Amino acid sequence: MAAEHPAAFVWQGAAQLMSPMIWIGTATTTGGAWTVDYTQAGFTSAPVVTPTALLNASNVYDRANASLSGTPTLTSASGYSTRWANLVGFGSTARTVPDGTVIHIVAIGETFA
């Protein structure tokens, strides 16, 4: 029999979310762009979405970041992922991540108002 656990308290700014939902998933990039659909979570207000890029690179200068392209909606979010690379003679520059780069997504919101 599973042990009972207390409910988690989630705050957005100064307001407590009364029915919090955490959705976790992944997206992959095409030309640096990514989109994720979390319709099945049933958010009733736009969630807070945090993307994190996973780039398998051994060079310390070659690291990826992921960001949102706009405000997340009730059903989806999209963004862009770039990587930094130290190019000989040019220093550190930005470029897109390879197609198929995995973006881990965490969306936290409410399931009813």
Side-chain angles (χ1 to χ4, degrees):
M1 193 150 141
E4 292 291 323
H5 296 283
F9 295 105
V10 178
W11 295 82
Q12 185 172 5
Q16 182 180 0
L17 301 182
M18 299 312 294
S19 183
M21 168 72 71
I22 298 173
W23 182 91
I24 299 170
T26 60
T28 56
T29 60
T30 301
W34 58 267
T35 299
V36 67
D37 183 331
Y38 42 74
T39 302
Q40 72 274 18
F43 292 120
T44 54
S45 60
V48 174
V49 176
T50 304
T52 304
L54 174 63
L55 180 64
N56 292 320
S58 60
N59 187 327
V60 70
Y61 296 107
D62 198 2
R63 295 291 162 235
N65 63 37
S67 61
L68 295 168
S69 292
T71 303
T73 69
L74 295 176
T75 59
S76 66
S78 60
Y80 203 71
S81 184
T82 56
R83 68 196 293 187
W84 293 97
N86 192 20
L87 299 177
V88 176
F90 295 103
S92 183
T93 62
R95 57 190 170 141
T96 59
V97 296
D99 286 355
T101 297
V102 174
I103 308 297
H104 292 277
I105 310 291
V106 175
I108 302 172
E110 286 224 72
T111 55
F112 64 85

